[in-house]
Amino acid sequence: MKMGTRCKTFCVLSLPLLGLLSITDAHAQDVQGGCPELPADTGLTWEYQGMGDADFCRAMRDDGSEAFGMYISKDPAFEPKRSNRAEDGRIDGHQVVWYRSELAGKPDVIARETLLEVGKNRVAHIWVQARDEQQLQESYQQTSTLRFDPQQRQLSSN
């Protein structure tokens, strides 16, 4: 278990309290808390933190960098701006729009974020970050294979 890991991505902007929390490691094939299923063939592992009725999940690469992350809650802090629209994509079989974002102090990092309804009164604010276009496409591919709890999905469509 890693203790004292701090969020180094969008959390700096949207989740300032997260830096005070510790993160718990989980194996890629495990569904941790409210995190979606992460296929084992991605080579990623989850770092997870439950926060009341919200879940914070980070998919970590072998080198310790974050491939993507998400904050799943009732009221996401992220509000998309049409002018930042970047690409269309799919996550868990659902159409999403990725929006350009910037990381303070990291102008060379390509950052994108989106929203996805994942259950009754639950929305995932998902972000990816990459050092180049190839890594961005890899992160998009990995997020497209995510599978959220089908029972929660069913509840949201009722």
Side-chain angles (χ1 to χ4, degrees):
M1 179 180 346
K2 293 180 185 176
M3 299 303 288
T5 302
R6 293 182 181 271
C7 179
K8 297 175 184 167
T9 61
F10 290 72
C11 302
V12 173
L13 301 174
S14 62
L15 303 171
L17 297 176
L18 211 49
L20 303 174
L21 301 171
S22 62
I23 306 295
T24 304
D25 284 321
H27 295 293
Q29 58 272 26
D30 295 340
V31 177
Q32 186 73 6
C35 298
E37 182 178 342
L38 183 63
D41 65 356
T42 63
L44 301 173
T45 57
W46 282 125
E47 285 188 351
Y48 168 79
Q49 177 66 47
M51 300 178 296
D53 63 352
D55 297 292
F56 176 68
C57 310
R58 295 176 69 202
M60 306 302 290
R61 297 181 184 104
D62 288 337
D63 66 5
S65 65
E66 180 182 284
F68 58 89
M70 65 188 69
Y71 184 73
I72 307 167
S73 66
K74 182 178 178 181
D75 297 310
F78 172 60
E79 294 182 23
K81 292 183 180 175
R82 190 174 194 95
S83 62
N84 291 337
R85 187 180 179 122
E87 298 95 16
D88 292 327
R90 294 190 80 73
I91 299 175
D92 196 11
H94 297 272
Q95 185 77 25
V96 297
V97 175
W98 289 102
Y99 295 87
R100 279 182 295 283
S101 188
E102 296 178 359
L103 297 174
K106 295 184 178 184
D108 56 333
V109 173
I110 302 169
R112 301 288 189 266
E113 54 192 326
T114 193
L115 294 173
L116 177 67
E117 187 176 329
V118 295
K120 187 172 182 144
N121 297 319
R122 306 253 316 149
V123 176
H125 169 206
I126 304 167
W127 56 86
V128 300
Q129 56 182 333
R131 65 179 171 268
D132 56 35
E133 187 64 32
Q134 180 180 349
Q135 197 175 55
L136 178 67
Q137 293 306 315
E138 182 179 293
S139 292
Y140 281 161
Q141 174 59 33
Q142 292 165 336
T143 59
S144 74
T145 63
L146 293 174
R147 297 295 174 249
F148 289 84
D149 183 349
Q151 289 181 343
Q152 284 186 340
R153 275 259 182 238
Q154 198 170 39
L155 291 173
S156 68
S157 62
N158 291 338

